Amino acid sequence: MVGKRNLLLLLVLSFLFSPLFSAVVPVVDMSLMGIFNYKPSTESFHQLMGMDLKISLPSPNSGNVRGEVVLKATYPSGTLTLDDIVHKAYLRARFPSFRLTAGKTRLSWGDGMLFNAGDVLYGSSSTSVSLTQAELRDKTDWMAALNYPLGFFSFFETILIPSTSGRIEDAGFGFRFYTNVGETKVEAGFATTDAGVRKHKPYVSLQGNIGADWYLSSSVELDRQFTASTSDLLVTGGLFHSLYFPGDRTLTLRLEFLSRPLQSWAFTGQEDANCTLLLYPELVYSPSTSLSLRLRTILSPLDLSMNTTVGASWSVFEGFSLVGYLSAPFGQSSDLFNWEGDQRIALGVGASWIY
Amino acid sequence: MSKPVVKLLLTLSLLCIIPSFLFALTGDEVIQKMDEMATFETSVSTGSIKTTDRFGTKISTFKAWARGASDSLIEFTSTAERGQKILRTQSSLYLFYPDAEELIRLQGAALRQSVLGSDLSYEDMTEEKNTLDSYTVVLEGSEIVNGHDCHVLTLTAKKRTVAYPVQKIWVDKQTYLVWKAEYSTAQKRLLKVMEVISTVEVAGRTLPSETKIEDKMKRDSATWMTLDSLEVNVPLAANLFSLENLTW
């Protein structure tokens, strides 16, 4: 019932924005999944129908001001607020020497698909992600940012994050510098945020190619007094490579790692918030240009537990794909991934359509 | 016919033949001319990529800007890929995904991945027009293709990083348009065949307005690349091929 109310709210918002439809071309992205899951802790089976709906209202792609409103809802879901449904609502204005972005959107700092120490604005170290999604990290938030080009492939960017408490001292701020040194991309930045506790996070991120594309990022979390504890150093990195075979068959290989090297390297008791070492291997095999088979795993090498998803996507018609996945955690009760609590083995089949 | 007249005719014939030997183009020269005719100082174009298979047709539309032989920017304007952009400059490829506001830099093998499930790779769409840097060329002879007298050339890759190790191309002797091309593996296994379906005259040059690429490894699979509009040698903003414009 809560999910249906949220969908109704989404539809009402769409209707309210409908005068814009005459000026823009709305894009609807929906996926419908039949999900069957087994909960080992209670030895019970469950079945449900799930839907992800996204309605995008982009501005006309011309002039010096652009923007977009994106509404998003998921069924089933808990109680969603208006802030949850409005996934993006921003404008972007291009001035002669800089660019302003303001509203609710995302800035992607650093490198990495799952693990990204350079993502000091939203955080990309948690393992609480759905490996069935195309975008593993898509969090947005309210902000205002200025981008200053320093050359064709270099820029300086600064961001202001509004306070959630209403107190100006709880506002956030950040900046980054992006450039190329030879064949290596170099990015460095800093963000200070207050989500209850003030944290300062400087980072550096490098990206290049040694046959395979590689990246390496590091950040450290400092407290209000700019001191760091041993738990706060985060290092991420990865390799990405594509292999091509006759008949347009491709195999893409990705391996990312996350490490908190100064944390405990114990073989048990690893937890998501302070896990010492995680690996993310991903294989995507495309036997044709319309079919892809995917294997994604988050692996904790210290306790040998993992969360694995095998998926397939078949682009049958324009904008329409059939999708399926099977996901399961593996590990013992004291491991990072296990069959305890709310963990489930899930099988999903369905379709996605964008129009 | 008198001896002096015969002698005159023979002399005139020799005078015609000798220049043709002296000025006959080599394979490298044909390729250079072909690249020159396909390269403009700047260009702005709109077009579509239509991919067909057993289940039907998928169409992606784009707008493209190019400067010289190596700078190009493509923005996809069709619904599913709306706002996605590709910037190619020298040895790097930058991709921008607006949904995630993500800027990705790729080099090396990633350039050969398929664009939007078509039979074209990012390298195909944004390739540098310096063919002689990547291939050795042998001029095989002449053939008539679609009523056009063409040079027939075989291109063999100098390095392993190219998409097609062996190419056979039919280049129009008058316009230097490539009417047909066969792309093969190093073992001469045929991978794709490209044919020009229709042409357009722009700034005194003949360019393909509709091209068909057939994947010979698959049944019933083909890609049509169509140019809906093309403007050449137009002023382009200095910062067009920059990260700022890519992420705008």
Side-chain angles (χ1 to χ4, degrees), chain B residues 2-247:
Chain B
S2 65
K3 274 191 179 176
V5 172
V6 170
K7 201 172 178 181
L8 177 62
L9 285 171
L10 279 171
T11 306
L12 283 171
S13 301
L14 279 171
L15 284 172
C16 290
I17 292 167
I18 289 171
S20 72
F21 277 118
L22 286 176
F23 297 113
L25 292 177
T26 64
D28 282 11
E29 286 167 339
V30 172
I31 295 296
Q32 276 175 340
K33 193 69 180 173
M34 179 190 82
D35 283 347
E36 275 173 32
M37 297 300 274
T39 304
F40 295 93
E41 202 175 301
T42 63
S43 68
V44 181
S45 59
T46 61
S48 63
I49 304 170
K50 185 171 76 173
T51 305
T52 61
D53 59 20
R54 286 179 294 159
F55 297 96
T57 301
K58 303 184 191 80
I59 299 176
S60 301
T61 57
F62 65 87
K63 188 170 184 181
W65 299 260
R67 180 176 62 199
S70 59
D71 293 341
S72 56
L73 174 68
I74 299 169
E75 178 178 355
F76 292 98
T77 52
S78 40
T79 300
E81 307 85 23
R82 176 187 49 85
Q84 290 180 28
K85 295 180 187 176
I86 308 168
L87 172 65
R88 165 135 185 181
T89 176
Q90 296 180 337
S91 61
S92 293
L93 195 75
Y94 292 88
L95 308 179
F96 178 64
Y97 296 100
D99 288 350
E101 301 288 337
E102 196 167 5
L103 173 64
I104 298 174
R105 178 171 173 255
L106 297 175
Q107 296 165 295
L111 297 173
R112 298 204 296 277
Q113 63 180 298
S114 162
V115 178
L116 306 176
S118 72
D119 295 318
L120 297 166
S121 67
Y122 287 116
E123 201 167 53
D124 290 333
M125 287 200 70
T126 63
E127 64 177 345
E128 298 184 23
K129 306 290 192 298
N130 298 317
T131 309
L132 293 176
D133 289 346
S134 305
Y135 292 91
T136 54
V137 181
V138 173
L139 181 59
E140 304 283 3
S142 299
E143 273 184 35
I144 305 293
V145 175
N146 297 334
H148 302 273
D149 191 15
C150 297
H151 295 292
V152 182
L153 302 103
T154 297
L155 282 61
T156 306
K158 290 179 182 174
K159 43 192 177 183
R160 296 176 65 181
T161 54
V162 296
Y164 308 108
V166 175
Q167 296 186 34
K168 185 176 180 182
I169 60 175
W170 285 258
V171 181
D172 193 304
K173 289 183 180 178
Q174 300 298 320
T175 64
Y176 293 92
L177 173 73
V178 179
W179 282 101
K180 183 180 170 184
E182 292 178 350
Y183 305 107
S184 305
T185 64
Q187 293 74 36
K188 307 287 178 67
R189 186 178 181 190
L190 185 61
L191 296 172
K192 295 182 184 178
V193 174
M194 183 279 295
E195 290 178 77
V196 172
I197 308 299
S198 60
T199 61
V200 63
E201 295 287 324
V202 177
R205 305 182 200 181
T206 303
L207 298 172
S209 63
E210 188 177 1
T211 305
K212 177 183 174 184
I213 299 177
E214 277 185 289
D215 188 331
K216 291 302 185 181
M217 304 293 293
K218 293 183 284 190
R219 267 187 319 172
D220 304 322
S221 173
T223 299
W224 277 263
M225 190 158 167
T226 304
L227 268 183
D228 297 321
S229 69
L230 175 64
E231 296 174 89
V232 298
N233 300 328
V234 293
L236 296 179
N239 68 339
L240 186 66
F241 306 98
S242 67
L243 294 184
E244 192 279 327
N245 192 57
L246 179 69
T247 56

Side-chain angles (χ1 to χ4, degrees), chain A residues 324-342:
Chain A
Y325 68 85
L326 175 65
S327 68
F330 296 95
Q332 297 176 341
S333 58
S334 59
D335 295 340
L336 178 62
F337 303 108
N338 55 64
W339 286 9
E340 305 296 318
D342 211 31

Side-chain angles (χ1 to χ4, degrees), chain A residues 27 56 61 66 88 92 94 99 106 108 152-153 178 180 183 207 209 213 244 247-248 289 314-315 318, chain B residues 55 58-59 75 89 94 98-101 105 107 109 112-113 117 119 215 238 243-245 247-248:
Chain A
V27 178
S56 173
N61 216 14
R66 297 181 181 180
K88 286 188 180 181
R92 195 170 273 157
R94 196 184 219 175
R99 187 172 79 203
R106 177 178 178 81
S108 291
F152 292 149
F153 301 100
Y178 182 115
N180 291 322
E183 292 296 317
Q207 187 272 334
N209 183 275
D213 287 291
Y244 302 93
D248 277 334
T289 53
W314 180 21
S315 177
E318 184 170 340
Chain B
F55 297 96
K58 303 184 191 80
I59 299 176
E75 178 178 355
T89 176
Y94 292 88
D99 288 350
E101 301 288 337
R105 178 171 173 255
Q107 296 165 295
R112 298 204 296 277
Q113 63 180 298
D119 295 318
D215 188 331
L243 294 184
E244 192 279 327
N245 192 57
T247 56
W248 166 239

